[in-house]
Amino acid sequence: MPRDMVAREKMLLFFKSAGLLALLAVLLYLSARTILGLSGLGLFLIGGLIYLMVRLSGDAYFIPANARPLSRWEAPEVYRLLDLLSERAGIPQVPQLYLVPSPLMNALTTGPAERPVIVVTDTLLSSLPPRELAGVLAHEIAHIRNGDLTLFRMVEIVRQFTEMVSQAGWVLLVFFFFPFLLFARQVQPLSFFLFMVASPILSLLLALALQRTREFQADLTAAELTGDPQGLAMALYRITSPRYDILGALFPFGRSLRRLEREHSLFLSHPPTEERIRRLLSLRA
């Protein structure tokens, strides 16, 4: 893919991400205004902003319970890759590695942006050759470079707020049904019910769509960091290959579940692997 096409693809992904984030915020605003009214909306926005600042400044983040820190002397080659990729990405803090015992090959990035953590499974480290492992680590570092750690936390908070507004609507309806009918002149019943039922589902779909968009962006950034998009494409193929399909090996309906996920991609947090591989291979030129 020519360099100008890569730049155009990055710009399209950026605007798509910004549009989805704006839709999430608008959905939350309309839901709160419709369900809580203008006075309730003001109180909700003040409390929500305070909660948002506290959450984004906090250090709480998810690490699997059975994960343990992986030191440099245990995996010097892996940390050498991390050092090189972090330098290329312009990240001041090299991510800390955590190791999880698992038969699956997987990796995730978590933690605050200033102290990022990459969690990998032992099967991933033992199964992938260095070229493919570099692609996977570059993808995780790309999330850090692109600001996705903060973005994902913000999106999850907005989604939780939307669910809270919907739940508040159900409480109002159950406990204050007759006062609602008599005195809620500013509330249109049809809009009230529509937002109360549909807003949590729509917020979840928008959050998942945003996450899939950021995965495409991370793939593109990883290809720039390594200069080897085919390495990441090969790793993705190996991770999702039937030979490593633990779910399909243990349960007879495992492959049916994978097929169902492909057919209902709106509910996936990651894009279909076939599409990710196709886009990466188009970068080889």
Side-chain angles (χ1 to χ4, degrees):
M1 183 181 291
R3 189 174 297 273
D4 58 338
M5 293 183 65
V6 174
R8 191 181 307 120
E9 180 74 10
K10 291 176 66 176
M11 188 63 65
L12 287 174
L13 290 171
F14 171 79
F15 281 117
K16 184 177 180 179
S17 301
L20 289 169
L21 185 60
L23 285 175
L24 270 169
V26 170
L27 177 62
L28 174 59
Y29 170 79
L30 293 177
S31 300
R33 179 168 182 175
T34 303
I35 295 174
L36 303 178
L38 289 176
S39 57
L41 174 64
L43 294 175
F44 179 80
L45 288 178
I46 294 174
L49 286 175
I50 295 174
Y51 180 77
L52 181 64
M53 289 187 292
V54 171
R55 279 290 302 272
L56 290 180
S57 61
D59 290 336
Y61 52 89
F62 169 77
I63 291 183
N66 58 341
R68 67 171 182 87
L70 189 65
S71 62
R72 284 184 173 269
W73 67 265
E74 291 179 280
E77 296 298 328
V78 179
Y79 269 101
R80 193 171 292 117
L81 280 175
L82 276 180
D83 291 339
L84 177 60
L85 293 170
S86 299
E87 182 181 357
R88 291 184 179 181
I91 298 175
Q93 180 67 38
V94 177
Q96 169 69 50
L97 271 180
Y98 275 72
L99 187 67
V100 175
S102 172
L104 300 175
M105 290 194 289
N106 204 357
L108 64 91
T109 307
T110 184
E114 61 275 8
R115 293 190 306 279
V117 171
I118 295 179
V119 182
V120 295
T121 62
D122 53 358
T123 305
L124 181 84
L125 293 185
S126 62
S127 301
L128 293 185
R131 178 186 182 186
E132 298 174 20
L133 180 61
V136 173
L137 294 177
H139 175 90
E140 301 305 324
I141 286 179
H143 280 305
I144 303 170
R145 175 185 177 181
N146 296 340
D148 290 338
L149 296 181
T150 302
L151 177 64
F152 288 157
R153 293 174 72 183
M154 184 183 303
V155 167
E156 181 59 20
I157 292 171
V158 172
R159 191 188 67 80
Q160 290 176 0
F161 279 172
T162 307
E163 287 187 356
M164 290 169 56
V165 170
S166 175
Q167 292 168 1
W170 286 107
V171 171
L172 290 173
L173 187 63
V174 171
F175 292 99
F176 304 99
F177 179 71
F178 290 106
F180 168 78
L181 291 180
L182 292 175
F183 301 108
R185 299 177 179 178
Q186 296 180 351
V187 177
Q188 298 181 1
L190 181 60
S191 300
F192 182 92
F193 283 107
L194 284 177
F195 276 104
M196 191 171 60
V197 174
S199 59
I201 301 173
L202 291 176
S203 66
L204 174 62
L205 293 178
L206 288 171
L208 290 174
L210 179 60
Q211 187 166 344
R212 291 193 299 270
T213 302
R214 302 312 298 168
E215 291 298 326
F216 281 132
Q217 182 76 60
D219 285 345
L220 193 59
T221 303
E224 291 180 322
L225 293 176
T226 61
D228 181 22
Q230 190 172 3
L232 178 55
M234 293 167 60
L236 290 173
Y237 176 78
R238 190 188 300 271
I239 291 172
T240 57
S241 173
R243 292 177 299 169
Y244 298 96
D245 189 355
I246 303 298
L247 183 64
L250 297 179
F251 303 100
F253 53 84
R255 289 189 176 85
S256 299
L257 285 178
R258 286 191 179 277
R259 184 167 59 253
L260 185 64
E261 287 181 346
R262 286 195 297 267
E263 294 171 355
H264 299 82
S265 58
L266 287 177
F267 294 93
L268 292 178
S269 61
H270 285 60
T273 304
E274 295 86 351
E275 176 65 15
R276 295 176 65 185
I277 292 175
R278 185 192 65 78
R279 291 190 179 207
L280 284 167
L281 293 181
S282 68
L283 299 173
R284 286 183 298 177

